Amino acid sequence: MTDGTVVSEKGEPAPMGRRVGPAPLVNAANALTVARIVLIPIFVLLTVASDLTHPGLRIAACVAFFVAAATDLVDGWIARTWDLVTSFGKVADPIADKALTGAAFLLLSAYGALPWWVTVVILAREWGVTALRFWVIRHGVIPASRGGKIKTALQTLAIVWYLWPFDSSLAQAGPWLMGAALIVTVVTGVDYVARALRLRRGGILVHGAPDHAAPDHAAPDHGAAGGAARGRGTSGQDQSSQDH
C-alpha cells in the first residue's frame, strides 16, 4: 500500500474491489448463498403441493427454482468482482448448488416425470466430482471448463422446462433438453476424473522428488501476496475455479 493506494504484487494498482485482509462474513455474496439455501425448502414444498399437476403451483415452484439457480451466477460475480471470498462461501456455495439441483431431480423422478436412472447418473456425477475436488485439493484446484458451464445451463433449462406447465407440444422438448444435459454431464464428469488423476499424479511426483530436483519442478514463490491471490481462485463462489 502506497499513499493509501492498494498495489498488486507487481507494484501496479490493484483492481477495484481487492482488499487487504479477509473479507467480512456478512456480505452480499454470502447473503445470496443463504437466500438460495432458504429457497430450496420453499421450492420443494411448492413442488410437492403442486403434485406436478396444479398449473399455478407448478409455475410458483418453477419460479422459485429459477430464482435460486440465478443467485448462483450473481453471488459468484459479486465474490469475484469485490473480493468477498470467505470460508463460509467456499463450503456453503457448492453445497447449496448440489442440494438445489439434487432436490429438483429427485422430485421429478418421484413424481414419474423423469426416469430414476437419469437422476442416479446425474447425482452420482455431481457428488462424485465434489468428492474428487476434496481428494485433490492439497495438490491444486482444477479450473472449471466451458463444458461444465454448459452442463449447468442445460440442467437448469431442462429442470425449468419440466416444471413449467407447457402444453403437450412444447413439453415434448423437455426430454431432448434433459438428454443433452445428461450427455454433457457424463462427458464433463469423465473429463474431470481424468484431470483430477493427472493433477494428483503430478502433485505426488513433485512432492516425492529429491530435494535437489525441487527447484526444477516447483512453481515460483511469489510471496504472501501471490499465495493470497491464488487462494482467491479456490473459492466455491469463484466460478473461474469451480466445476458446475
Side-chain angles (χ1 to χ4, degrees), residues 46-71:
L46 288 170
T47 304
V48 171
S50 75
D51 201 33
L52 285 188
T53 58
H54 190 285
L57 290 174
R58 285 182 64 178
I59 291 174
C62 183
V63 170
F65 173 82
F66 182 78
V67 171
T71 63

Side-chain angles (χ1 to χ4, degrees), residues 60-244:
C62 183
V63 170
F65 173 82
F66 182 78
V67 171
T71 63
D72 182 39
L73 298 176
V74 178
D75 69 9
W77 177 82
I78 292 175
R80 290 194 305 274
T81 303
W82 302 105
D83 195 20
L84 294 175
V85 173
T86 64
S87 296
F88 171 81
K90 293 177 184 180
V91 175
D93 186 77
I95 290 176
D97 297 340
K98 299 298 186 290
L100 177 64
T101 56
F105 282 116
L106 289 172
L107 286 168
L108 289 174
S109 291
Y111 284 100
L114 186 67
W116 273 107
W117 69 266
V118 174
T119 293
V120 170
V121 169
I122 290 178
L123 294 189
R125 184 274 188 199
E126 296 298 330
W127 289 102
V129 164
T130 299
L132 276 175
R133 292 181 66 202
F134 284 104
W135 185 52
V136 302
I137 195 170
R138 65 188 298 266
H139 301 292
V141 176
I142 301 175
S145 65
R146 185 182 301 274
K149 296 176 182 179
I150 294 174
K151 180 267 300 181
T152 300
L154 283 173
Q155 284 186 3
T156 301
L157 181 59
I159 291 171
V160 166
W161 207 275
Y162 270 79
L163 291 171
W164 193 270
F166 286 114
D167 59 41
S168 57
S169 59
L170 287 175
Q172 292 177 2
W176 290 97
L177 289 171
M178 189 62 73
L182 177 64
I183 292 172
V184 177
T185 297
V186 172
V187 171
T188 56
V190 171
D191 175 67
Y192 196 95
V193 170
R195 289 192 292 162
L197 290 174
R198 287 197 299 269
L199 177 62
R200 184 172 174 84
R201 188 180 302 115
I204 292 174
L205 289 175
V206 170
H207 292 302
D211 290 341
H212 65 271
D216 294 333
H217 299 282
D221 182 10
H222 294 295
R230 289 191 299 273
R232 286 193 292 269
T234 65
S235 165
Q237 292 174 322
D238 190 336
Q239 304 298 322
S240 64
S241 63
Q242 179 184 350
D243 178 88
H244 292 281

